[in-house]
Amino acid sequence: MDGVAARQALSDILRPASPPVEVRDPFTEDQRERLLDVVRTAGPWKLIIAQHFANIDELIATMSGALPEGVTPSLDSFVTPTFRGFYGNYSTALFPEISDCFYNQAFIDHAKAYWGAQYAKPQMMLFNINGPCGNYDPGHLDSPSFRGVRYENSPTWLCSVMGKSGLFRDYLIKMAQVITWFSKDPTSGFTYWPDGPAKAPRRLQPPVWNRGVLVQNEMMYHRGEANGPFDRQRPEGLRFETVFAGDPSDKNNWRLMNGSDVIQNVHTDELRFLVHWSGEVFEDFAELKKNMDGSDDLTLDRVFETLLKDMRARGIQVETPTNPLEDPVFIRALVAAYDFGTPLIYPDEAPVTKLQLAAA
């Protein structure tokens, strides 16, 4: 298989089970207020990047493309002021005041319909929140889960590579997400590639206030878009350790902080607030049982054996690592083998930027 055909084959892997579907008004105003109040009162919240990656190789393994030869950036090169927290995990609501949002029957029904499946259950619910914010992301996948190797018990980079490889489809846990945005920015939308990153993207057009999409983001390239005035998108003093918190003296003010130092204040009207609900879906009772009883689970040893065998069959020379979860040379080899790279086409209204290309 030549390079063009190999790249197209990688693109064809990265297609969701069904086309995304827009969901109108996923939350009531009362639910939005309660969801935002958790952010206000239960923080401070760390940067997304600070919660998921220990080093640059782990980060790049989840992004679209390795860095150019000779470029060795630090994690700070990718820091953008977007923060994350969890409303629910392990199929459990973590805050009782938003239980109705997590155990959401409409969302469960959406997930079943998306897959044409009999059963579904809520698995996880998180938020991303930021004020004015640039975006270096040229497109990414959310972390998929597989029977035995899940985002809860395995590194983000490994789950991402497993999904991109297409080698573990029989073990992929079916997921569906309802992702909702609350943003008043008139130019900031959502770009996604439902036909693979070699094809033209689609875009959820702004403004995206209480608008959502039903998706399978683990197998579809997508990216949020920058928002707010350009000169405020990267506050001076932003660091890997910066946190986000509500201002206890002003309900409509939010603060980016380094320790006790406030580096930026953000008004509620400037927020881009994302709520991500994710459910596990089961085609029938047999699949439900298999997912729950562990009778057909992957192990890490089997995963790495499969990846090594496939790379070598394709003529890729790679040493057997002694510590594959932390070996940077091995991680880079996996990225080179299974990453499609930067999507080929971007919307005219939301083009890729030089910063995104540098990250890709």
Side-chain angles (χ1 to χ4, degrees), residues 233-252:
Q233 289 182 2
R234 185 179 174 90
E236 185 175 352
L238 181 68
R239 301 199 306 252
F240 195 67
E241 299 79 19
T242 300
V243 297
F244 182 88
D247 184 340
S249 64
D250 183 349
K251 182 178 179 179
N252 280 314

Side-chain angles (χ1 to χ4, degrees), residues 56 60 63-69 71-73 77-78 135-138 342 352-360:
I56 196 67
I60 294 169
M63 299 185 71
S64 52
L67 289 166
E69 186 176 354
V71 176
T72 54
S77 303
F78 294 89
N135 187 354
Y136 300 168
D137 176 20
T342 303
V352 67
T353 69
K354 291 181 180 179
L355 286 174
Q356 289 164 344
L357 287 171

Side-chain angles (χ1 to χ4, degrees), residues 122-161:
Q123 173 61 21
M124 179 270 288
M125 188 174 184
L126 60 78
F127 66 84
N128 294 345
I129 195 164
N130 56 263
C133 181
N135 187 354
Y136 300 168
D137 176 20
H140 71 280
L141 303 171
D142 288 355
S143 182
S145 285
F146 305 83
R147 291 194 301 278
V149 181
R150 302 176 55 96
Y151 80 89
E152 298 99 332
N153 65 17
S154 303
T156 299
W157 69 263
L158 176 61
C159 292
S160 179
V161 166

Side-chain angles (χ1 to χ4, degrees), residues 141-344:
L141 303 171
D142 288 355
S143 182
S145 285
F146 305 83
R147 291 194 301 278
V149 181
R150 302 176 55 96
Y151 80 89
E152 298 99 332
N153 65 17
S154 303
T156 299
W157 69 263
L158 176 61
C159 292
S160 179
V161 166
M162 289 172 65
K164 292 175 181 180
S165 75
L167 297 172
F168 305 96
R169 290 177 177 173
D170 291 343
Y171 296 87
L172 180 70
I173 295 175
K174 294 181 174 71
M175 304 286 286
Q177 295 82 34
V178 177
I179 304 175
T180 306
W181 293 266
F182 295 93
S183 171
K184 296 183 178 180
D185 189 297
T187 63
S188 181
F190 174 67
T191 305
Y192 57 99
W193 285 262
D195 300 315
K199 303 292 186 180
R202 301 181 193 175
R203 186 174 186 241
L204 185 67
Q205 299 289 338
V208 290
W209 184 267
N210 201 15
R211 291 175 64 194
V213 288
L214 172 66
V215 295
Q216 185 198 13
N217 264 359
E218 300 91 354
M219 297 304 295
M220 181 182 73
Y221 266 49
H222 60 279
R223 65 178 177 118
E225 296 171 6
N227 65 286
F230 181 78
D231 61 357
R232 298 191 66 217
Q233 289 182 2
R234 185 179 174 90
E236 185 175 352
L238 181 68
R239 301 199 306 252
F240 195 67
E241 299 79 19
T242 300
V243 297
F244 182 88
D247 184 340
S249 64
D250 183 349
K251 182 178 179 179
N252 280 314
N253 191 56
W254 305 81
R255 305 186 297 185
L256 279 68
M257 305 180 69
N258 293 333
S260 59
D261 296 331
V262 177
I263 64 169
Q264 188 179 57
N265 288 288
V266 176
H267 191 274
T268 297
D269 287 345
E270 297 179 284
L271 294 177
R272 180 179 166 112
F273 176 40
L274 174 153
V275 180
H276 172 128
W277 179 94
S278 188
E280 291 188 11
V281 182
F282 312 98
E283 182 176 347
D284 52 26
F285 185 78
E287 185 172 64
L288 171 62
K289 184 176 185 298
K290 183 166 59 176
N291 274 262
M292 294 296 111
D293 66 15
S295 60
D296 188 32
D297 281 3
L298 286 167
T299 64
L300 288 176
D301 285 345
R302 185 173 176 186
V303 168
F304 289 123
E305 287 171 6
T306 300
L307 291 167
L308 284 165
K309 181 179 179 180
D310 182 69
M311 285 193 289
R312 288 165 179 163
R314 294 164 56 190
I316 300 171
Q317 301 300 316
V318 57
E319 297 281 342
T320 301
T322 57
N323 187 357
L325 290 175
E326 297 181 5
D327 187 326
V329 174
F330 181 59
I331 293 172
R332 290 182 189 130
L334 290 172
V335 172
Y338 298 113
D339 190 61
F340 174 85
T342 303
L344 301 186

